[in-house]
Amino acid sequence: MDVLSKPANELGELILSGAISIVDLIDKVYERIMKLESKVNAIITLRSRSDLLKEAENKEKEIKRGAAKGLLFGVPVAVKDNISTKGIRTTCGSKILENYVPPYDATVVKLLKKEGAIIICKTNMDEFAMGSSTETSYFGPTRNPWDLERVPGGSSGGSAAVLAAGIVPLALGSDTGGSVRCPAAFTATVGLKPTYGLVSRYGLIAYANSLEQIGPMARNVTDVALLLNVISKYDENDGTSIPGSRPDYMYSLSNPYHIKGSLKVGLVVEMMGEGVSDEVRKVILRALDKISGEGIEIEEVSLSSLKYALPAYYIIAMSEASSNLARYDGVRYGFRAKIDGDWNKVYMETRAQGFGLEVKRRIIMGTFALSAGYFDQYYLRALKVRTLILNDFRRAFKKFNVLVGPTMPILPFKIGEKIKDPLAMYMCDIETVSANLAGIPAISIPAGFIGNLPVGLQIMAPPLHEELLLKISKIFEDKIGLRNLIAPL
Amino acid sequence: MEKLLEHLSWLARVKLCNYERKLLVNDIAKIMEFFNRLGEIDVKDVEPTTHVIELVSVFREDKPGKPLSLDKALKNAPSKEGGFFKAPRIL
Amino acid sequence: MEKLKVKIGLEVHVQLTKLKTKLFCSCPSDYRGKPPNTYVCPVCLGLPGSLPKVNSKAIEYAVMVALALNCKINRKVMFFRKHYFYPDMTKNFQITQYDRAGGAPIAVNGYLKLSTSDKEKVVRIRRINIEEDPGKLVYPTGSIITSPYTLVDYNRAGIALLEIVTEPDIETPAEARLFLQKLRSILEHLDVCDCGLEGAVRTDANISVAGGGRVEIKNIGSIKDVEKALMYEILRQKEALLKGLSIRSETRHWDDVRKVTVPLRVKEEEQDYRYFPEADIPPIIITEEFIEKIAKQMPELPDERLKRFQREYGLPYYDSSVLVSNKKLADFFEETVKLYKRNPKKVANVIINDFLRWIHEKGLELDNVKAKPKDIAELLKLLDNGIISIKIAKTVLPEIIVSGKSPSQVVKERKLLKISDKQIIRQIALKIFREHKKAAFDALKDKKAINYLIGQIMKYTKGRADPAVTGKVVKELLTDLKEGKLKL
Ligand SMILES: [Zn+2]
């Protein structure tokens, strides 16, 4: 248990120095999965024990040869199941990709391998990342390690759960409208959605491609910075990848208090208003209380366009989804319905059987928003609202270094509580979607608990200010005093 | 509304069963109302944001790379024949 | 029936075959003749998670074509997704261009001038799009109707296309042919498309007769077929109008086996393409400097070349226009002239009157003609030097076109050298005189009989006898016959 609770940034050094055996570590990871997976259901595909041990042995040999190198050498990592892994099936939590094995690695997976990480498993998620609870997965819901009756958030619920359950120290998620931050908040872990274009999307199976980013998840801010160091590289395969080098985020954390002048933090009033539960509000205010003080000023700020962020987000996301998911027709890969008929009939049936209800709902609504006669009223208007939101953030960041608010408006809810009411589920994303619309970096760190239920604090920074965002997160983490938490299971 | 749903289901090539249709007719109405909130905001003279970061003119050189092997290209195909993907009949 | 007003617009899909790779991925573009699905990658196969990246050369080529077609080039170009399901589509949307939500096709509002026999005609270009080609469907039974399933080859998927759309300014099928010929010549002069390759240029034509419904004919493979399809359609619509039927707007398919158009069964609903901006491709900004750079590098275009041919080689307008209507033909002409500088007009005559005629007669394209410019030059030199006669030259030409042998080789192999030795011709003439005694005596007073005798000598020598020498010999023999010096 002890090795499994170690932060990744310590684990890497212990491995390279020979203090921890990789084979031993991987064995423990595997044992813990065997013990907990039946309760949590966080994993869609687990690599075979023999494969994992063989990789661990090879890595150990490299250490003995003195050939070992990499920021994550021998460190176990979990990868969300919408990130393509060569030779390991990648299902997106959907029946339609149940048997799909990508012939190529996503860029982030290549980078993980280059740094010596060991990919343990592909984690459970809402089908095609459409959900905020990991309940829409074809492979069944993931349970929150802090309360097995409750959801872990979504859509990267599996990645958050393997962290909170103490299985691996690092995981990759993806965030289209809060899918990294929401489960981080619900499981007392840390999750970052980077600036749009900072991390390559090549190999990330698209849900809404103008909004999403792959994000690092861990049990503390430093590990998130470490994983961001690994995955944030310019990628020529992604036309939206921002060119140029990235800072060393770990290095910047070595002295987080080295921020010029005093820190101005804006508490967004729209994020503390209607729909936010009293308990969440209380925890957030208490956390901000701990944070404020010498050198840190917290002041309220209003971004009035955020009122419209949620419908704008859903129009854009559903429209893009209806397009991105058109390719699943059962001809080149994936499930095909076993019926006889012309292509139209087979396509309709394949997609009827291959997609779950929420995916169909979003495809239908997205098709509607883009269809003749509605385009201007919905899709185009949403793009204009997106501009207004961007402008509001620009204005706010002129005055404030970062903006804060709750990550989730409510506490982790019971499995089954919201799944029948799509709009109630969509409302869960009210705090998170604006960062995706604006393309800015945002992080969720643990703010406190109500009983055993975690509450997350969300911090947002201007585009490409991950360094600042992580520094501030580290300061807040120090002051709040919640890190490296593993749910008692 | 049911006719609209029928049309959308055809456009998106997703067959819906009776249960789903009943559910979605109801949902569409609610979600449309939710979308309609955007009607309140004045967007006159506002430019749409199609790309959130200010990247332009991103190109690739016209230099050939290696395609997938036939084996890999067809590996995930539910049905194949003689190097081709096998799709349903057209008519 | 009075002449009805016909309006024709064309939508031409041109593959940029001179690119080395596809439009959005680095798969090689020379897919023709390759085994199915061997020129595909995650991007053009539409695998989940793959992303498109624009081939910079495709933008350069598009700008060149836009300049050649006198278009306004848009400074901000965006790609859009156009949605429709079909098994030849790997993503079930096509990445193309559109003019909504701040987007614009690469070029708009151009024109192309055509010269017809009696006037100069301007066909306006509405727009030029850059887009991707879909894959190819193969029907195992050979027929779309009877095949129990469909085979798909995605090698063609993602090949860069230009979609060139005209206004409905064209008034006759012949004008449509002229437009396409000129467009083809321009594309070949720009060296962006090898238009002779199968499927490299595909045309949709829309036509309305006498204000009737707009009928679209899809996917016509060759220029000749465009003309045929339009003629067929005009006839069909006129007949319908005569019967008092009205023409409704519809889409028809060109059946290039039966050479007729047939209606396509298309559901009405299918026409909603739901265009929206492709977020994976940032906007492309085309700067003034970029356009200027391209403009400076533009190769000579057919119109300029035509003028140069008139100026430099002293060719008449007609000859020049025939030659530049096909880049390869014009190149062939100029290369021949380089090797046979003394008389360009003679080169033009041989190429236009004889060479082209034989190519058509043998059912060939310029591409698969074996004869090279040096062969034509050599043929003309053999003629000039009196080694072969004009008649022989005309028999040698078709053979070098088909076989690729040099003219002198053919002449040697077939013993076609001109006979100018007076002694030999005299012996042959004597033989002929003896075999045609009556004609020989008639020839003493009848010119016609002289020609007959010369004809017989030519026939006997298979045209190899030098006409001048032969004439002289016949005259001498007749004098001898008259004077009794010759006995038959
Ligand atoms: Zn490709």
Side-chain angles (χ1 to χ4, degrees):
Chain A
M1 187 59 217
D2 193 32
V3 243
L4 293 185
S5 62
K6 284 258 183 283
N9 62 81
E10 290 172 29
L11 203 56
E13 278 167 34
L14 292 169
I15 289 169
L16 284 178
S17 69
I20 290 179
S21 138
I22 304 176
V23 173
D24 191 41
L25 171 66
I26 296 303
D27 225 15
K28 286 209 165 81
V29 169
Y30 200 84
E31 263 172 45
R32 187 147 177 93
I33 291 171
M34 290 297 110
K35 188 178 152 209
L36 297 179
E37 179 56 7
S38 60
K39 290 187 197 167
V40 183
N41 192 35
I43 295 170
I44 292 177
T45 304
L46 173 64
R47 286 177 66 201
S48 76
R49 187 157 187 260
S50 58
D51 270 8
L52 287 170
L53 287 177
K54 202 194 279 164
E55 188 178 339
E57 278 160 20
N58 287 339
K59 287 218 149 62
E60 237 157 56
K61 278 182 205 150
E62 278 181 56
I63 292 181
K64 289 202 181 101
R65 280 208 317 271
K69 59 175 194 307
L71 289 172
L72 299 177
F73 197 84
V75 176
V77 177
V79 174
K80 189 177 180 180
D81 209 23
N82 59 351
I83 299 172
S84 304
T85 43
K86 188 174 173 173
I88 305 175
R89 84 171 168 152
T90 300
T91 70
C92 253
S94 181
K95 179 181 177 182
I96 213 155
L97 287 178
E98 191 177 359
N99 298 309
Y100 170 64
V101 180
Y104 75 105
D105 270 332
T107 300
V108 291
V109 171
K110 272 193 191 154
L111 292 170
L112 282 180
K113 288 180 175 174
K114 197 174 144 230
E115 296 298 335
I118 298 179
I119 294 166
I120 303 291
C121 58
K122 302 297 294 290
T123 58
N124 202 3
M125 55 183 285
D126 282 295
E127 185 179 2
F128 282 99
M130 297 178 188
S132 315
S133 66
T134 317
E135 287 171 288
T136 68
S137 171
Y138 173 66
F139 301 90
T142 295
R143 291 164 182 275
N144 191 328
W146 293 94
D147 180 344
L148 295 173
E149 299 293 298
R150 291 176 191 268
V151 302
S155 63
S156 313
S159 286
V162 290
L163 294 170
I167 291 170
V168 291
L170 297 175
L172 288 183
S174 73
D175 190 314
T176 309
S179 283
V180 156
R181 290 161 288 155
C182 157
F186 275 8
T187 58
T189 55
V190 182
L192 168 73
K193 181 205 88 76
T195 302
Y196 187 83
L198 188 80
V199 175
S200 167
R201 288 183 295 115
Y202 193 76
L204 169 67
I205 301 183
Y207 151 32
N209 49 316
S210 84
L211 298 163
E212 59 210 6
Q213 274 284 289
I214 291 170
M217 302 172 79
R219 288 188 294 260
N220 64 69
V221 173
T222 313
D223 279 359
V224 162
L226 171 66
L227 190 48
L228 186 63
N229 263 0
V230 173
I231 62 172
S232 122
K233 294 264 166 3
Y234 166 71
D235 179 15
E236 57 173 27
N237 286 325
D238 176 355
T240 61
S241 176
I242 296 168
S245 60
R246 275 54 169 162
D248 182 339
Y249 303 107
M250 281 290 274
Y251 180 78
S252 58
L253 288 192
S254 57
N255 192 356
Y257 292 89
H258 196 78
I259 295 173
K260 275 179 208 143
S262 77
L263 193 56
K264 288 203 153 219
V265 176
L267 173 60
V268 182
V269 293
E270 282 77 10
M271 294 176 72
M272 292 291 272
E274 207 188 322
V276 180
S277 80
D278 290 341
E279 292 153 314
V280 168
R281 198 178 287 125
K282 201 170 72 191
V283 173
I284 294 297
L285 290 175
R286 212 189 300 143
L288 292 177
D289 239 15
K290 288 188 195 163
I291 291 162
S292 74
E294 208 183 322
I296 301 178
E297 286 173 41
I298 301 178
E299 213 179 286
E300 285 193 344
V301 58
S302 168
L303 282 75
S304 60
S305 63
L306 293 198
K307 267 190 290 188
Y308 302 99
L310 201 62
Y313 165 80
Y314 270 97
I315 289 171
I316 294 169
M318 288 171 169
S319 299
E320 292 181 7
S322 73
S323 167
N324 289 321
L325 272 62
R327 70 188 62 195
Y328 304 102
D329 56 23
V331 173
R332 293 159 301 283
Y333 44 79
F335 167 80
R336 185 194 293 185
K338 284 161 196 64
I339 55 147
D340 184 49
D342 65 21
W343 69 277
N344 274 314
K345 190 174 170 203
V346 177
Y347 277 26
M348 299 225 18
E349 195 62 40
T350 292
R351 292 161 64 79
Q353 292 177 28
F355 290 137
L357 179 60
E358 182 57 30
V359 171
K360 288 181 200 169
R361 186 182 283 126
R362 294 196 194 192
I363 289 176
I364 293 285
M365 287 313 299
T367 304
F368 166 70
L370 292 175
S371 63
Y374 296 101
F375 180 88
D376 288 0
Q377 187 184 347
Y378 293 114
Y379 185 77
L380 193 60
R381 200 173 184 89
L383 291 188
K384 290 177 177 174
V385 172
R386 196 172 182 179
T387 306
L388 295 177
I389 289 169
L390 263 164
N391 292 343
D392 263 3
F393 272 113
R394 276 192 197 122
R395 260 193 300 277
F397 284 128
K398 277 193 184 132
K399 202 169 163 206
F400 297 96
N401 298 94
V402 291
L403 300 173
V404 296
T407 308
M408 297 301 292
I410 50 170
L411 294 172
F413 47 90
K414 290 237 168 87
I415 289 174
E417 193 181 317
K418 289 185 189 291
I419 195 74
K420 291 232 160 70
D421 183 353
L423 276 178
M425 189 71 91
Y426 301 167
M427 291 303 158
C428 294
D429 302 335
I430 192 154
E431 312 284 15
T432 47
V433 294
S434 44
N436 300 83
L437 287 168
I440 58 172
I443 195 170
S444 178
I445 63 170
F449 282 85
I450 296 286
N452 62 339
L453 298 179
V455 173
L457 172 69
Q458 182 175 211
I459 315 163
M460 294 172 278
L464 294 175
H465 281 57
E466 276 77 3
E467 218 181 345
L468 171 81
L469 181 62
L470 286 163
K471 275 187 186 185
I472 290 169
S473 299
K474 181 77 164 55
I475 296 171
F476 289 8
E477 184 184 57
D478 284 347
K479 298 203 173 205
I480 295 168
L482 295 174
R483 63 156 68 94
N484 299 330
L485 302 174
I486 290 174
L489 269 162
Chain B
M1 198 59 87
E2 257 162 53
K3 233 182 132 193
L4 174 67
L5 186 62
E6 193 67 27
H7 173 60
L8 295 172
S9 140
W10 163 253
L11 269 185
R13 296 297 189 283
V14 180
K15 202 179 110 185
L16 300 170
C17 65
N18 282 338
Y19 167 74
E20 288 170 328
R21 224 171 325 193
K22 239 183 252 158
L23 217 61
L24 289 184
V25 162
N26 190 24
D27 290 348
I28 289 183
K30 276 200 274 181
I31 294 170
M32 258 161 98
E33 206 183 297
F34 166 62
F35 284 179
N36 284 337
R37 277 191 216 165
L38 290 193
E40 294 168 16
I41 193 166
D42 181 17
V43 292
K44 213 173 75 163
D45 304 328
V46 179
E47 286 295 313
T49 296
T50 54
H51 298 77
V52 76
I53 41 170
E54 282 156 20
L55 272 181
V56 293
S57 302
V58 180
F59 294 124
R60 177 179 61 77
E61 248 185 275
D62 186 27
K63 234 169 66 187
K66 232 182 122 213
L68 286 174
S69 67
L70 178 65
D71 196 40
K72 276 189 177 157
L74 292 176
K75 190 162 184 287
N76 284 289
S79 184
K80 56 199 155 191
E81 183 179 298
F84 289 95
F85 291 89
K86 208 168 154 182
R89 61 171 195 263
I90 297 298
L91 299 174
Chain C
M1 190 171 190
E2 67 193 295
K3 206 164 180 274
L4 292 173
K5 178 100 180 141
V6 174
K7 279 173 141 187
I8 297 168
L10 299 176
E11 209 177 292
V12 191
H13 295 95
V14 177
Q15 285 187 341
L16 297 175
T17 62
K18 294 297 174 116
L19 291 176
K20 294 190 183 73
T21 65
K22 295 185 178 182
L23 180 54
F24 297 121
C25 64
S26 60
C27 283
S29 59
D30 56 332
Y31 67 91
R32 288 180 173 79
K34 300 294 186 302
N37 299 304
T38 53
Y39 274 34
V40 293
C41 73
V43 178
C44 56
L45 209 47
L47 289 191
S50 64
L51 296 170
K53 200 157 178 199
V54 181
N55 184 339
S56 59
K57 203 90 194 166
I59 304 293
E60 265 178 52
Y61 283 2
V63 168
M64 280 165 69
V65 174
L67 288 173
L69 297 180
N70 311 294
C71 289
K72 174 180 168 276
I73 294 163
N74 282 313
R75 294 309 134 95
K76 186 181 172 193
V77 173
M78 282 213 302
F79 281 97
F80 275 64
R81 293 181 180 181
K82 175 184 182 179
H83 299 85
Y84 61 97
F85 285 84
Y86 207 61
D88 62 5
M89 305 280 287
T90 57
K91 304 180 293 286
N92 289 316
F93 60 76
Q94 180 194 34
I95 303 180
T96 177
Q97 296 177 322
Y98 201 58
D99 54 357
R100 240 160 126 181
I106 187 146
V108 293
N109 300 340
Y111 63 87
L112 186 60
K113 277 189 189 156
L114 308 178
S115 312
T116 61
S117 50
D118 51 339
K119 59 181 174 180
E120 190 151 84
K121 166 95 194 179
V122 175
V123 176
R124 288 168 299 157
I125 308 289
R126 185 181 294 166
R127 63 179 157 81
I128 302 177
N129 279 348
I130 310 175
E131 59 188 34
E132 52 178 344
D133 217 350
K136 222 171 175 173
L137 302 184
V138 175
Y139 307 107
T141 66
S143 151
I144 188 170
I145 298 160
T146 59
S147 287
Y149 55 89
T150 315
L151 297 173
V152 201
D153 171 12
Y154 292 108
N155 282 348
R156 195 180 70 182
I159 292 288
L161 289 180
L162 291 186
E163 184 189 64
I164 301 168
V165 183
T166 77
E167 298 290 348
D169 291 344
I170 298 167
E171 288 160 299
T172 65
E175 273 178 19
R177 172 174 47 78
L178 279 179
F179 175 87
L180 290 169
Q181 273 169 350
K182 181 142 189 195
L183 179 63
R184 174 179 169 153
S185 182
I186 288 171
L187 295 167
E188 291 189 331
H189 277 86
L190 293 173
D191 201 23
V192 299
C193 174
D194 194 343
C195 302
L197 293 175
E198 188 264 320
V201 179
R202 283 137 26 210
T203 306
D204 298 344
N206 58 71
I207 173 165
S208 75
V209 174
R214 183 173 171 278
V215 173
E216 194 169 0
I217 315 164
K218 285 270 187 201
N219 223 12
I220 318 170
S222 75
I223 295 179
K224 267 183 236 154
D225 277 2
V226 170
E227 193 178 10
K228 281 185 199 154
L230 287 170
M231 289 196 295
Y232 176 87
E233 203 42 43
I234 291 172
L235 216 66
R236 185 187 72 82
Q237 295 190 23
K238 277 185 180 170
E239 270 174 24
L241 289 172
L242 267 178
K243 287 183 199 148
L245 301 169
S246 70
I247 301 295
R248 63 190 176 92
S249 295
E250 62 170 344
T251 302
R252 297 176 74 88
H253 172 78
W254 171 245
D255 183 332
D256 65 358
V257 179
R258 293 189 294 145
K259 305 287 176 202
V260 294
T261 67
V262 286
L264 266 184
R265 277 179 298 162
V266 181
K267 286 206 182 186
E268 273 306 300
E269 300 100 299
E270 217 158 14
Q271 297 308 323
D272 193 348
Y273 293 129
R274 290 159 288 137
Y275 288 94
F276 83 108
E278 171 55 280
D280 291 336
I281 303 175
I284 290 165
I285 304 298
I286 296 181
T287 61
E288 201 68 55
E289 298 86 75
F290 181 76
I291 296 173
E292 267 168 35
K293 201 185 107 206
I294 300 278
K296 270 191 200 133
Q297 296 167 356
M298 287 278 274
E300 187 185 40
L301 290 171
D303 282 353
E304 300 159 32
R305 200 173 193 186
L306 189 151
K307 287 196 189 104
R308 184 167 60 79
F309 276 17
Q310 291 176 279
R311 199 175 59 233
E312 200 174 317
Y313 303 122
L315 297 185
Y317 174 85
Y318 173 79
D319 291 25
S320 310
S321 72
V322 171
L323 291 170
V324 302
S325 70
N326 180 330
K327 164 153 196 294
K328 283 173 185 159
L329 190 66
D331 290 347
F332 196 99
F333 165 76
E334 288 211 88
E335 270 168 59
T336 309
V337 168
K338 261 187 219 151
L339 301 169
Y340 183 85
K341 294 200 182 74
R342 57 187 98 152
N343 192 345
K345 172 64 181 148
K346 203 161 167 187
V347 175
N349 286 347
V350 169
I351 288 180
I352 295 170
N353 299 331
D354 303 300
F355 185 65
L356 276 185
R357 183 172 62 85
W358 279 112
I359 290 175
H360 288 148
E361 210 144 291
K362 303 265 177 198
L364 296 170
E365 293 291 330
L366 205 46
D367 279 332
N368 37 37
V369 165
K370 294 255 176 68
K372 298 283 168 292
K374 70 168 173 41
D375 300 321
I376 303 296
E378 190 188 327
L379 190 68
L380 288 171
K381 282 178 192 165
L382 288 176
L383 199 58
D384 284 359
N385 298 344
I387 295 169
I388 57 172
S389 63
I390 183 84
K391 203 158 173 201
I392 294 291
K394 289 194 188 225
T395 62
V396 170
L397 189 62
E399 184 157 348
I400 62 172
I401 285 173
V402 178
S403 71
K405 290 174 185 164
S406 75
S408 45
Q409 199 183 346
V410 173
V411 166
K412 214 163 123 193
E413 277 176 16
R414 291 187 34 202
K415 302 195 174 61
L416 293 176
L417 278 179
K418 190 156 77 175
I419 305 168
S420 27
D421 187 314
K422 207 171 162 184
Q423 274 313 109
I424 297 172
I425 293 178
R426 196 183 161 88
Q427 277 173 21
I428 294 166
L430 269 175
K431 187 174 148 56
I432 297 294
F433 270 51
R434 284 181 179 131
E435 283 169 10
H436 302 273
K437 277 183 196 157
K438 188 174 178 296
F441 287 109
D442 286 353
L444 292 174
K445 38 200 183 292
D446 187 356
K447 271 250 158 65
K448 263 189 200 160
I450 298 180
N451 286 340
Y452 176 79
L453 287 170
I454 291 175
Q456 287 305 311
I457 294 167
M458 285 300 171
K459 194 176 167 195
Y460 184 79
T461 59
K462 297 196 178 77
R464 290 160 64 212
D466 186 315
V469 178
T470 307
K472 216 167 153 197
V473 166
V474 169
K475 215 177 253 169
E476 283 173 15
L477 284 177
L478 285 175
T479 313
D480 287 358
L481 189 64
K482 198 175 178 185
E483 292 170 2
K485 285 180 196 163
L486 176 68
K487 296 264 184 294
L488 291 177

